[in-house]
Amino acid sequence: MNDKLRTPSVDHLFDAILSLKDRDECYKFFEDVCTVNELLSLSQRFEVARMLTEHKTYLEIADKTGASTATISRVNRSLTYGNDGYSIVFDRIKEN
């Protein structure tokens, strides 16, 4: 984890996110916190990560999500060399 990221402000943000109880609360919170474009970018990256874990090609992913190859490559690097954050979430989603 990047030590520059671990700040009291980020801790407060994550605590707020962890306090959300359902999807409706998530929509309300994230619509207030993020711009539409920021939220769409986050969801696009998440979709790219999901498709990469399903072994889709860059071309398939770009066609389906509209993501650039640079974005797909960045997400792929996170999946390969990151902190396993995507894996944690994908594993939990499978369980539900």
Side-chain angles (χ1 to χ4, degrees):
M1 176 66 67
N2 185 339
D3 288 336
K4 292 179 183 178
L5 185 63
R6 288 189 178 265
T7 66
S9 294
V10 174
D11 285 348
H12 290 148
L13 174 63
F14 289 165
D15 290 342
I17 293 168
L18 290 168
S19 77
L20 299 170
K21 292 181 175 53
D22 57 30
R23 186 176 291 144
D24 188 53
E25 286 187 5
C26 286
Y27 271 101
K28 290 176 181 176
F29 179 75
F30 281 99
E31 284 184 53
D32 284 350
V33 171
C34 298
T35 66
V36 170
N37 285 338
E38 289 168 337
L39 194 50
L40 292 175
S41 292
L42 287 171
S43 64
Q44 181 187 63
R45 281 184 235 141
F46 191 74
E47 184 67 8
V48 166
R50 184 189 63 76
M51 293 180 76
L52 285 167
T53 62
E54 294 174 351
H55 308 290
K56 303 291 185 193
T57 67
Y58 275 34
L59 183 58
E60 289 174 301
I61 296 168
D63 285 345
K64 170 87 174 165
T65 67
S68 68
T69 55
T71 296
I72 298 167
S73 180
R74 185 175 350 115
V75 171
N76 194 41
R77 268 194 311 278
S78 292
L79 287 169
T80 305
Y81 303 109
N83 295 303
D84 294 325
Y86 283 117
S87 296
I88 291 167
V89 172
F90 290 142
D91 288 346
R92 288 185 184 157
I93 289 172
K94 283 180 194 173
E95 292 172 6
N96 293 330

